[in-house]
């Protein structure tokens, strides 16, 4: 009679079991697990599955702590682990646990829904969390109840791109209609007779006075980065804190479109703040001082990356960040050198005056010495003449 093979616990199962701590919450062990699962050598999908399988435990404490551990790793183990939580194996298992057939304890179901909702609220605008966002939307359509939201759900990356494309199309239609009307010498035809009769409702809004090119806001608008934003997907625009980005489109709540250093892309709106129009906007992003500690830290990271087995893309990103930080500080150094040059010119002028004054002083001293040296000689001569005279008379 054949016996069923029982697979031995994997390394990830053992690590998760230690963090679960037999259903007793120990944040020290949970943080330790997050540190281990953050390592590059860890297979993030297997690690996520090792956590999720414990949520189905009949021990409620173990199930609840497993959800807490999954949430902790999601928030602290980086983008790759977040993407692993969005794989079908993980999401399908969570969906199965919420179904009535499984009879999962209500308290566990509520914690799962609360956790997924927090992921969507905090990270839903990132492309790698799109599958989690879709699962959350499906659960809501299926009638699952969630806690009340404390803030609006973010606009996803795909929604922002689609909305921007629609806005660009509307602007192009409006510009085309205006050009057509300007070229026609006859009275302006109604919009129903335009080149785009099916877009009347949209074009009327697009041609409203507030949106017309003559009444539009100045094309040169800028925002200043409050935080550093690293590019995660194609089409995004990266920058460091303090950079000033030319704003191209701000019609959407969460993602704006801008241009910086010759690149155009999307970036989170809450990473920047609006600034006034500047004739030379690059000067507004300058730090107040040259931060040598930042430069040293970047150099150390660059040397460490070059000496280790880091990818060429990672090293290139560090090099670009270093060049950007140094480039930001360059105008400060140039301004300081300009001040030094002015001081040098002033000192050179003062030195010339000093040399001239010294030469004049030496000349006056020499002339005075000559004047004083002549008088004793004349007195000596007169004295000698008087002596000779007396000798002659005698």
């Amino acid at each position: 009679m054949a016996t069923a093979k029982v697979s031995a616990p994997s390394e990830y199962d053992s690590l998760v079991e230690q963090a679960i701590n037999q259903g007793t919450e120990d944040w020290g062990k949970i943080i330790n697990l997050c540190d281990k699962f953050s390592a590059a050598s860890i297979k993030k999908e297997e690690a996520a599955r090792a956590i999720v399988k414990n949520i189905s435990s009949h021990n409620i404490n173990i199930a609840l702590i497993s959800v807490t551990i999954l949430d902790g790793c999601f928030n602290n183990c980086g983008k790759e682990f977040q993407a692993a939580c969005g794989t079908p194996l993980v999401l399908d298992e969570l969906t199965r646990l919420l179904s009535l057939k499984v009879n999962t304890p209500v308290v566990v179901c509520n914690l799962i829904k609360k956790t997924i909702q927090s992921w969507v609220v905090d990270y839903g605008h990132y492309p790698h969390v799109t599958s989690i966002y879709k699962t959350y939307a499906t659960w809501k359509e299926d009638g699952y109840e969630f806690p009340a939201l404390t803030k609006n759900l973010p606009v996803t990356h795909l929604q922002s791109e689609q909305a921007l494309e629609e806005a660009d199309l509307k602007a192009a239609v409006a510009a085309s209609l205006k050009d057509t009307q300007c070229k026609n010498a006859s009275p302006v035809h109604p919009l129903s007779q335009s080149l785009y009769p099916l877009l009347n409702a949209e074009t009327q809004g697009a041609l409203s006075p507030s949106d017309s090119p003559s009444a539009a806001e100045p094309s040169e608008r800028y925002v200043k980065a409050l935080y550093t934003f690293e590019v995660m997907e194609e089409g995004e625009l990266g920058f460091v804190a303090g950079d000033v980005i030319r704003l191209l489109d701000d019609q959407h709540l969460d993602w704006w479109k801008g241009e910086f250093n010759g690149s155009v892309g999307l970036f989170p709106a809450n990473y920047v703040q609006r600034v006034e129009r500047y004739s030379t906007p690059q000067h507004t992003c300058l730090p107040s001082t040259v931060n040598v500690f930042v430069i040293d830290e970047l150099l150390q990271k660059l040397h460490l990356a070059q000496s280790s087995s880091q990818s060429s893309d990672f090293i290139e990103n560090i090099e670009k960040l270093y060049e950007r930080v140094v480039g930001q500080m360059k105008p400060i150094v140039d301004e300081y050198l300009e001040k030094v040059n002015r001081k040098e010119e002033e000192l050179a002028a003062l030195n010339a005056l000093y040399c001239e004054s010294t030469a004049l002083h030496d000349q006056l001293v020499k002339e005075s010495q000559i004047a004083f040296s002549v008088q004793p000689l004349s007195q000596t001569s007169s004295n000698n003449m008087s002596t000779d005279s007396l000798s002659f008379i005698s």
Side-chain angles (χ1 to χ4, degrees):
M1 180 177 178
T3 58
K5 293 184 179 180
V6 179
S7 59
S10 66
E11 176 187 0
Y12 305 110
D13 294 329
S14 301
L15 293 174
V16 172
E17 184 177 355
Q18 294 176 12
I20 291 175
N21 195 30
Q22 297 181 352
T24 304
E25 188 175 278
D26 187 339
W27 272 101
K29 293 183 178 181
I30 295 176
I31 296 300
N32 184 42
L33 179 68
C34 292
D35 292 339
K36 291 180 180 179
F37 280 179
S38 298
S41 58
I42 294 295
K43 296 179 180 179
K44 302 300 190 292
E45 186 172 348
E46 293 185 16
R49 289 168 57 191
I51 300 173
V52 170
K53 69 171 63 175
N54 289 279
I55 301 177
S56 60
S57 173
H58 296 293
N59 186 324
I60 294 181
N61 291 331
I62 291 179
L64 292 174
I65 291 178
S66 299
V67 178
T68 301
I69 292 174
L70 183 65
D71 184 46
C73 291
F74 185 91
N75 288 295
N76 295 283
C77 293
K79 171 186 172 183
E80 292 183 1
F81 191 92
Q82 292 176 350
C85 291
T87 56
L89 289 175
V90 173
L91 294 178
D92 289 349
E93 175 62 16
L94 294 178
T95 303
R96 186 187 70 84
L97 291 173
L98 292 182
S99 64
L100 297 176
K101 297 180 181 179
V102 180
N103 197 24
T104 304
V106 176
V107 64
V108 177
C109 292
N110 289 339
L111 185 58
I112 291 174
K113 291 184 290 185
K114 180 181 178 181
T115 300
I116 292 295
Q117 182 173 263
S118 67
W119 293 356
V120 171
V121 170
D122 295 335
Y123 302 95
H125 54 281
Y126 289 111
H128 63 278
V129 190
T130 301
S131 58
I132 299 177
Y133 199 121
K134 292 180 179 179
T135 300
Y136 169 76
T138 301
W139 289 356
K140 295 199 73 173
E141 291 176 358
D142 292 342
Y144 291 110
E145 296 182 356
F146 289 84
L149 289 172
T150 56
K151 59 181 180 180
N152 294 331
L153 291 175
V155 178
T156 65
H157 186 274
L158 294 178
Q159 289 172 337
S160 295
E161 285 190 341
Q162 182 179 3
L164 288 175
E165 290 177 358
E166 292 176 355
D168 291 341
L169 177 60
K170 182 185 290 186
V173 170
S176 177
L177 287 171
K178 184 177 180 180
D179 291 342
T180 303
Q181 293 173 357
C182 292
K183 291 178 181 178
N184 291 333
S186 58
V188 179
H189 294 285
L191 290 174
S192 60
Q193 299 178 6
S194 66
L195 296 176
Y196 303 92
L198 298 179
L199 299 176
N200 289 341
E202 295 185 5
T203 51
Q204 287 177 358
L207 287 174
S208 62
S210 60
D211 293 335
S212 63
S214 60
E217 297 180 359
S219 58
E220 295 295 326
R221 295 177 297 164
Y222 297 94
V223 293
K224 184 177 182 179
L226 300 175
Y227 315 101
T228 297
F229 176 64
E230 298 180 1
V231 174
M232 292 187 176
E233 299 291 340
E234 184 178 357
E236 295 179 348
L237 181 66
F239 46 77
V240 299
D243 285 343
V244 173
I245 302 102
R246 188 164 73 92
L247 185 61
L248 301 179
D249 195 311
D250 60 350
Q251 296 183 11
H252 306 286
L253 180 63
D254 294 289
W255 285 86
W256 290 352
K257 185 177 182 181
E259 179 183 6
F260 179 68
N261 279 351
S263 299
V264 176
L266 300 174
F267 57 88
N270 57 353
Y271 274 56
V272 299
Q273 68 176 4
R274 297 178 185 274
V275 293
E276 296 179 0
R277 182 176 179 179
Y278 293 93
S279 57
T280 55
Q282 63 274 16
H283 296 304
T284 62
C285 64
L286 299 177
S288 57
T289 58
V290 176
N291 195 332
V292 295
F293 299 103
V294 174
I295 297 178
D296 290 341
E297 183 180 358
L298 287 174
L299 283 175
Q300 291 176 4
K301 289 184 178 180
L302 182 59
H303 293 325
L304 180 63
Q306 291 175 342
S307 60
S308 61
S309 58
Q310 295 287 353
S311 64
S312 58
D313 292 338
F314 179 80
I315 297 176
E316 184 179 356
N317 289 335
I318 294 294
E319 289 177 345
K320 289 182 178 179
L321 184 59
Y322 172 76
E323 292 174 358
R324 185 177 299 174
V325 171
V326 174
Q328 286 181 339
M329 298 179 182
K330 183 178 181 298
I332 300 179
V333 177
D334 292 341
E335 182 179 358
Y336 178 77
L337 291 177
E338 185 178 353
K339 292 180 180 179
V340 171
N341 291 335
R342 288 199 298 267
K343 288 291 184 182
E344 184 179 1
E345 293 175 357
E346 293 175 1
L347 290 175
L350 291 174
N351 183 60
L353 290 175
Y354 173 77
C355 293
E356 183 179 351
S357 300
T358 303
L360 180 59
H361 174 268
D362 293 342
Q363 181 180 356
L364 292 174
V365 169
K366 186 176 181 180
E367 290 177 354
S368 63
Q369 288 177 349
I370 294 174
F372 283 115
S373 63
V374 170
Q375 184 176 0
L377 289 174
S378 60
Q379 292 177 355
T380 303
S381 302
S382 61
N383 292 334
N384 291 336
M385 290 177 62
S386 300
T387 305
D388 292 342
S389 301
L390 291 173
S391 299
F392 177 75
I393 293 174
S394 349

